[in-house]
Amino acid sequence: PQRARSLRLAEPTAVREVRGRGMRGGVRGRPAVVGARTLVAEQLPAADGALVAKDRGNGGLRAFVAIDGAHAGIITFADHPRADAREALAALREGPVRRVVLLSGDDAATVHETATALGIAEAHGDLPPAAATTPSGGATATCCPTGRSRRCDSSSRRATGS
């Protein structure tokens, strides 16, 4: 069991989101990056070797942290499918949806673990933001898992209510 600690946290400055990958900014005047390991490596290359050594290929949803070009930590999150996810997927398959693919920017091992837990046969992880939101083949699907119809428009690649 971990003990509760009182930590004095510095207010981050100049924080910018790196879409789908994390954030960068400053802490006490030093550059900081929090997010995917690849983002940290791109922004602060000197920290990458330490992050790889600390990570050792562990699965799970993680945010890597580097401050002033040095490894500062790895934040591991518990990420579990929603309790009703299997039921929602079953409802989709009973309708017009014949193929379900899990696309994610998360760690590939975590994505495959989640897909297996949900009965999804095809899963792809470690994807850049554009690939994680673009259906393969530009397919259009209509489904109604919650009583509201949702359409994936192949031209905009965004789900829209209808």
Side-chain angles (χ1 to χ4, degrees):
Q2 290 188 338
R3 295 181 300 162
R5 296 185 295 175
S6 295
L7 300 174
R8 181 171 257 173
L9 302 176
E11 189 72 28
T13 58
V15 176
R16 301 261 188 236
E17 177 187 6
V18 180
R19 186 173 173 229
R21 299 182 67 213
M23 296 180 288
R24 65 176 178 236
V27 175
R28 294 188 178 119
R30 301 179 337 195
V33 181
V34 178
R37 188 183 60 78
T38 55
L39 173 66
V40 173
E42 288 169 13
Q43 300 296 311
L44 302 168
D48 191 45
L51 292 173
V52 169
K54 294 280 186 183
D55 180 37
R56 299 192 198 287
N58 296 324
L61 182 60
R62 296 173 312 282
F64 295 83
V65 182
I67 299 175
D68 205 16
H71 164 69
I74 299 172
I75 302 167
T76 302
F77 301 92
D79 193 18
H80 304 286
R82 292 173 44 148
D84 62 349
R86 275 187 155 288
E87 184 178 304
L89 289 167
L92 290 174
R93 289 181 178 115
E94 289 174 7
V97 176
R98 297 290 171 244
R99 178 177 174 222
V100 175
V101 179
L102 178 56
L103 305 173
S104 177
D106 290 345
D107 172 76
T110 302
V111 171
H112 287 282
E113 182 179 308
T114 300
T116 299
L118 294 174
I120 299 172
E122 186 178 351
H124 305 277
D126 292 322
L127 297 174
T133 60
T134 304
S136 60
T140 299
T142 303
C143 55
C144 196
T146 59
R148 281 188 34 194
S149 179
R150 308 246 338 139
R151 183 184 71 239
C152 180
D153 177 15
S154 61
S155 61
S156 70
R157 307 288 192 236
R158 294 178 179 212
T160 57
S162 58

